[in-house]
Amino acid sequence: MTIMESAERAEWTLTEAARLLGEPQHRLIYLCEKGVIQPDVQEAEGRGSSRRFSARNLLEFGVALRLRAVGIPAPVTGAVVYVLREFEKVIRKEIPGFSLPESLLEAKSLELSVVIGDDQRLYFTLGSGKSGTKTYGGVSLQDLIETDEDTGEERKRLRNVGSEAKPVGLRAKVEVSVTGIAQDLRLGA
Amino acid sequence: MHNKPVECLQSLRVSGEDHGTRPELAAGVIELLDHLAQELALEYVRLMEQAAGEGVSTADESCGKEE
């Protein structure tokens, strides 16, 4: 059963999510236990209860699992998922009804991707064939991984990151298409 | 696309709303990611509105040709 076929469904169990994503359950469990994925419907709370996930969670799993597959650390993956959630929230204020992953399946949807460059920085790209692609971010992976106390120096170092970025000199990168994953979820197992 | 001071973005938060804060990320990083998501989202909205406007223009031209 795919997300499109089960359009009326609002939740999936861990087993169903793993099957739909084509991944072993322990990988999904790992992401939940690391706090990368937070079940929208129900969190596991001891014996007798199990996690239940939303369609958005399935998209988050899809993105997170691909990042993990190429060795991206969990804190970085968690940051990506966090940005996607906030991204949805902000858009929904302007476009009521916007939701992930469904809104990315629309014909005129834009290409949204996560990029990690060999400059050890996290970017997001957004664009279409007509408008071209813009890059945002440039967050240092080290800043995402380290958990030192927030200092004034850190704030100063992080300021100015978030507006349109123009990474230069990249020779290699990891790119995960969020839009592509949303579309893949239509295919199912 | 406009640039907003990061501090102003905090006023967009609804008090008590769960933002899915990840305990392993420093407060400054959360603020940064919020700003990044904000800029990304506003660009998305802008591009979608631009595409919608182009669609309307195309429809108007087609109607004109058919007449």
Side-chain angles (χ1 to χ4, degrees):
Chain A
M1 182 182 290
T2 68
I3 286 184
M4 292 301 289
E5 290 174 347
S6 59
E8 295 181 358
R9 291 190 60 179
E11 59 184 70
W12 286 260
T13 64
L14 179 71
T15 301
E16 292 168 337
R19 187 183 307 128
L20 189 65
L21 292 162
E23 295 280 351
Q25 290 188 30
H26 70 85
R27 290 185 186 161
L28 278 65
I29 294 171
Y30 173 83
L31 290 171
C32 291
E33 292 180 347
K34 284 292 183 179
V36 174
I37 305 294
Q38 297 178 342
D40 285 331
V41 181
Q42 179 175 303
E43 179 60 88
E45 296 175 0
R47 302 185 68 179
S49 75
S50 58
R51 297 178 178 95
R52 291 186 173 270
F53 305 98
S54 66
R56 180 177 61 187
N57 284 148
L58 296 182
L59 175 66
E60 293 171 346
F61 271 127
V63 174
L65 287 165
R66 281 163 177 80
L67 290 172
R68 292 292 297 153
V70 292
I72 303 302
V76 176
T77 304
V80 170
V81 172
Y82 180 87
V83 170
L84 291 177
R85 286 195 167 229
E86 293 301 308
F87 171 78
E88 181 191 58
K89 283 179 189 173
V90 175
I91 292 180
R92 192 173 287 168
K93 292 175 185 174
E94 304 293 332
I95 305 178
F98 178 89
S99 65
L100 296 175
E102 292 83 1
S103 296
L104 295 180
L105 302 177
E106 295 172 2
K108 292 184 178 180
S109 180
L110 303 168
E111 177 63 34
L112 173 66
S113 294
V114 179
V115 175
I116 295 174
D118 60 0
D119 58 354
Q120 298 297 306
R121 291 185 178 276
L122 169 66
Y123 301 91
F124 286 80
T125 64
L126 183 63
S128 67
K130 281 186 177 180
S131 63
T133 300
K134 286 187 178 179
T135 302
Y136 293 86
V139 182
S140 166
L141 299 190
Q142 208 58 35
D143 291 333
L144 297 174
I145 295 170
E146 290 176 351
T147 57
D148 294 336
E149 291 180 5
D150 182 28
T151 65
E153 186 174 342
E154 177 182 317
R155 283 178 179 268
K156 184 179 178 182
R157 185 155 47 93
L158 295 175
R159 199 170 297 156
N160 300 329
V161 178
S163 301
E164 186 179 355
K166 297 187 187 303
V168 294
L170 294 186
R171 292 290 179 266
K173 63 182 180 181
V174 170
E175 182 169 355
V176 176
S177 171
V178 179
T179 302
I181 290 171
Q183 292 170 347
D184 288 345
L185 286 172
R186 277 196 279 203
L187 303 177
Chain B
M1 184 178 66
H2 55 278
N3 293 317
K4 293 183 180 179
V6 173
E7 292 77 12
C8 290
L9 296 178
Q10 293 178 342
S11 66
L12 294 176
R13 294 191 178 192
V14 177
S15 60
E17 184 179 0
D18 177 18
H19 293 276
T21 302
R22 315 238 171 244
E24 64 272 19
L25 295 174
V29 176
I30 293 287
E31 192 175 302
L32 171 68
L33 297 178
D34 283 346
H35 182 44
L36 171 55
Q38 173 89 0
E39 294 294 321
L40 199 62
L42 292 178
E43 178 65 8
Y44 185 96
V45 172
R46 188 187 73 80
L47 290 172
M48 290 299 285
E49 289 175 346
Q50 184 178 67
E54 290 172 353
V56 171
S57 298
T58 302
D60 289 344
E61 291 173 358
S62 299
C63 288
K65 285 181 181 178
E66 288 173 359
E67 291 175 359

